[in-house]
Amino acid sequence: MDLLDDGGDQPGGNAHEFTVSEISGAVKRSIEDQFGRVRVRGEVGRVSRPSSGHLYFDLKDDRSVLAAVTWKGQAARLQTRPEEGIEVIATGRLTTFPGQSKYQMIVDQIEPAGAGALMVMLEKRRKALAAEGLFDEARKRPLPYLPRVIGVVTSPSGAVIRDILHRLRDRFPTRVLIWPVAVQGNDCAPQVANAIRGFNALAPDGPIPRPDLLIVARGGGSLEDLWGFNEEIVVRAAADSAIPLISAVGHETDTTLIDFASDRRAPTPTAAAEMAVPVRADLAARLAEIGLRLMRGEQNRITRQRQRLSDLGRALGRPQALTDPARQRFDLFAMRLEPGLRGFVRRSRDRLNSLPLSLSALRGNTGKKRIALSGAAQRLDSAQRSRARQDRDRLKTLSQRLERERTRALADSTRRIRDQRDGVHKLAERLQVAGSRLVAPRRERLERLDRLRQTLGYAETLKRGFAVVRGAGDEVITTVEAARTQPRLVIEFQNNGRLPVRPDTGPDTGAGPAGSPPVPPADAKPVRPRARKGAGPKSDDTPGSDGQQTLF
């Protein structure tokens, strides 16, 4: 084949001419074939997160820089997000980008390069979140003293939830809502954050009650196992929670970022349950003591008020005693008025007789004085009756007011005592119901044990065809030698049926009384006959042929 073209003598005229796309594709295939799957260790440089959802960043060391990209779908599943300045190990494949004539790494997995890098990233994230004020003490709220509903965010299959439920049941039984989540791995952080926000989104009066307190719990583990609780999404969810939150992640020495954002940190999940509720027995005793003190105080207060009212009543006096002096003075003045009037009239008549006046003038003057005197007497009588009526009305009003005040005070005191007595009765009823609930399972267990005792007793064994041999002193006989020493034996069957018999007193050769079957030696073992093919019935001289089994 002639590779020369019509170019003639031009240098390089026989070289193949590639298009730009062809050469870019060849380079792409070569790099992808050579570096199909690689792990690269380096420091994260520039990080870019555009609105498309892809991640663009650089991996660098002291001499080179490698461009890296993680597509949107894979970026959402990354356990560790690339942050500038941390050292990571990236796993992926190398490829080229023909649009800019450069090669890059498609990363689908990122992991920190050792615990040191994790601690550096954790400290950097803690400082950034603390600068936003998410860890301020002013944001933390007090825990409710006695929550009605407690929400627990943890794994439903671990030992943590059992420890929390057991501790709550011992201290103060409370309704618990469990939101199952993954407590490690890639799904841990989003599930825990969604659980916290989900509990806060519940309506207070909805079909599912809104918790009064949240507990985020997990057992101990390594730094990598607990890393989900260091994610920013979990910390922000805990800081934004309107419900008070207790963080119980890991053991005493484990620290995660959710501990700083929570309202209270518990060293263990069991300690979180102890922080959540008080001890019911102590609370009941305290309430009983307060109820007694309150009842005694109210009784003392009512007694003092009754005594004070009685003292005031004695000091007030009778209304009649207040009017008697006035009535007496009125009578005294009335008795003195008539003689005084007669004397006044007499003096006036004498003075008139001494005056040189005409009879008509005297009569006119006397008539005027009589009219004036009659009017004054009427006014005086009316004023006295009005004054007496006003005094009587004022005394009556004062007595009614005092009676109303006393009645109102007694009614208020009686109502408070009745309310307190009702509260104490309700508390006693609740305690009685709780006691019944505690006694019922124990009573049932006792009955089961009693039935087991009856089943395992020897009476049930007697019902299956066995018998008990007792001696003269009602002791149980278990050997032939002990039976022969007894003057009399009693065989006990089922339903307390007893049959007295006499033991064999003959020599040890086995010969008993006449007509009785021979007794086997003491060391002989009972032999159970086996049915054989073609074997006929036993002869009469065979032991036990009469159908009676030996007792020993």
Side-chain angles (χ1 to χ4, degrees):
M1 179 178 180
D2 192 1
L3 298 178
L4 298 177
D5 58 1
D6 297 334
D9 297 335
Q10 295 179 1
N14 60 344
H16 179 68
E17 295 179 354
F18 293 95
T19 63
V20 175
S21 298
E22 289 176 347
I23 196 67
S24 297
V27 173
K28 180 181 180 68
R29 289 189 298 272
S30 177
I31 292 179
E32 290 181 350
D33 292 342
Q34 184 68 26
F35 303 97
R37 185 73 174 175
V38 294
R39 287 168 55 87
V40 179
R41 180 168 184 161
E43 180 183 345
V44 178
R46 172 190 56 84
V47 180
S48 176
R49 297 180 178 89
S51 59
S52 61
H54 308 314
L55 288 177
Y56 298 95
F57 56 96
D58 293 336
L59 295 174
K60 62 182 181 179
D61 56 12
D62 56 346
R63 291 178 296 179
S64 304
V65 178
L66 175 62
V69 59
T70 301
W71 305 124
K72 177 180 179 180
Q74 189 64 31
R77 295 191 294 269
L78 287 179
Q79 184 176 0
T80 303
R81 291 276 183 167
E83 297 183 9
E84 187 173 355
I86 66 172
E87 187 177 5
V88 298
I89 299 176
T91 304
R93 56 187 178 86
L94 289 181
T95 185
T96 62
F97 181 52
Q100 295 182 359
S101 298
K102 69 175 185 179
Y103 68 94
Q104 60 186 5
M105 182 177 181
I106 307 298
V107 178
D108 53 20
Q109 183 179 351
I110 297 177
E111 55 187 87
L118 284 176
M119 296 304 296
V120 171
M121 182 170 59
L122 180 62
E123 183 63 20
K124 181 180 179 182
R125 185 176 297 172
R126 187 190 66 80
K127 291 181 179 179
L129 295 175
E132 297 183 17
L134 299 182
F135 303 155
D136 293 344
E137 291 296 329
R139 296 174 57 93
K140 302 183 182 299
R141 289 147 302 191
L143 303 181
Y145 177 70
L146 191 60
R148 295 175 301 171
V149 181
I150 299 176
V152 180
V153 180
T154 187
S155 173
S157 60
V160 171
I161 186 61
R162 290 193 292 272
D163 293 343
I164 293 177
L165 294 177
H166 177 73
R167 197 57 177 165
L168 290 176
R169 191 182 306 112
D170 289 343
R171 291 175 66 86
F172 200 102
T174 308
R175 186 174 182 180
V176 178
L177 296 179
I178 302 174
W179 195 301
V181 297
V183 292
Q184 71 180 51
N186 297 336
D187 299 333
C188 174
Q191 289 186 9
V192 172
N194 292 335
I196 297 175
R197 295 192 178 98
F199 274 131
N200 281 269
L202 293 175
D205 54 351
I208 301 178
R210 184 183 185 187
D212 302 320
L213 179 66
L214 296 182
I215 298 177
V216 179
R218 188 205 186 280
S222 62
L223 181 62
E224 292 80 4
D225 295 337
L226 303 179
W227 190 257
F229 298 92
N230 293 320
E231 294 293 344
E232 183 176 349
I233 184 175
V234 175
V235 177
R236 293 189 181 276
D240 296 338
S241 175
I243 304 174
L245 187 144
I246 299 177
S247 172
V249 178
H251 296 304
E252 179 68 34
T253 57
D254 298 325
T255 303
T256 55
L257 294 184
I258 193 176
D259 296 336
F260 299 99
S262 61
D263 298 299
R264 186 75 64 85
R265 177 185 180 270
T268 60
T270 304
E274 295 177 354
M275 293 179 182
V277 294
V279 180
R280 183 177 61 178
D282 297 344
L283 184 60
R286 180 61 176 167
L287 287 176
E289 180 184 357
I290 293 175
L292 291 176
R293 293 176 58 188
L294 184 61
M295 184 177 298
R296 292 171 183 169
E298 287 297 327
Q299 291 176 351
N300 294 335
R301 180 171 175 269
I302 293 173
T303 303
R304 288 195 301 269
Q305 290 180 350
R306 185 183 295 111
Q307 184 65 32
R308 178 62 176 168
L309 186 60
S310 178
D311 295 341
L312 291 176
R314 287 195 299 269
L316 188 62
R318 295 181 295 109
Q320 186 178 0
L322 298 177
T323 58
D324 285 344
R327 185 180 296 110
Q328 186 176 2
R329 285 194 304 271
F330 179 77
D331 294 339
L332 179 63
F333 287 132
M335 293 170 57
R336 296 170 57 184
L337 180 62
E338 185 177 356
L341 288 175
R342 285 196 299 266
F344 177 75
V345 171
R346 186 174 55 252
R347 286 191 300 271
S348 298
R349 184 182 300 115
D350 293 341
R351 192 169 57 248
L352 287 175
N353 292 331
S354 63
L355 291 177
L357 297 175
S358 62
L359 183 59
S360 60
L362 291 175
R363 289 179 178 176
N365 190 13
T366 302
K368 294 180 181 179
K369 293 296 184 179
R370 185 183 294 113
I371 293 173
L373 183 60
S374 177
Q378 291 178 357
R379 288 194 301 272
L380 179 61
D381 185 43
S382 176
Q384 288 177 349
R385 287 196 302 270
S386 177
R387 179 67 179 270
R389 185 172 55 253
Q390 290 177 358
D391 292 341
R392 187 166 50 253
D393 293 341
R394 185 166 60 254
L395 290 175
K396 183 178 180 180
T397 303
L398 181 59
S399 299
Q400 293 175 353
R401 185 182 303 169
L402 289 176
E403 185 65 25
R404 286 196 301 270
E405 290 295 334
R406 184 177 68 175
T407 304
R408 186 183 300 109
L410 290 176
D412 293 342
S413 301
T414 304
R415 185 174 58 257
R416 283 193 295 270
I417 292 176
R418 185 171 57 253
D419 295 340
Q420 294 163 4
R421 187 186 303 112
D422 293 342
V424 173
H425 288 170
K426 291 180 180 179
L427 180 60
E429 291 175 358
R430 291 177 59 189
L431 292 177
Q432 184 177 4
V433 171
S436 300
R437 292 180 179 175
L438 293 176
V439 171
R442 289 169 172 79
R443 181 183 294 111
E444 183 180 355
R445 182 181 178 187
L446 181 60
E447 292 176 355
R448 290 199 303 267
L449 292 176
D450 184 64
R451 290 194 297 269
L452 181 61
R453 178 189 63 79
Q454 296 178 3
T455 303
L456 298 179
Y458 79 97
E460 297 296 327
T461 305
L462 296 180
K463 293 180 181 180
R464 296 198 296 269
F466 292 89
V468 178
V469 180
R470 300 181 182 273
D474 203 27
E475 69 276 8
V476 177
I477 304 302
T478 58
T479 61
V480 175
E481 290 79 1
R484 289 176 176 174
T485 60
Q486 297 291 329
R488 186 174 61 90
L489 298 177
V490 178
I491 303 177
E492 181 181 355
F493 300 94
Q494 62 172 342
N495 298 327
N496 201 18
R498 298 196 176 192
L499 176 65
V501 297
R502 293 185 178 277
D504 182 18
T505 57
D508 294 339
T509 58
S516 62
V519 179
D523 56 351
K525 297 182 180 179
V527 179
R528 180 178 298 175
R530 297 182 179 178
R532 299 182 180 178
K533 293 183 180 180
K538 296 181 180 179
S539 60
D540 294 338
D541 57 353
T542 304
S545 61
D546 57 352
Q548 176 65 36
Q549 296 285 341
T550 178
L551 296 178
F552 310 104

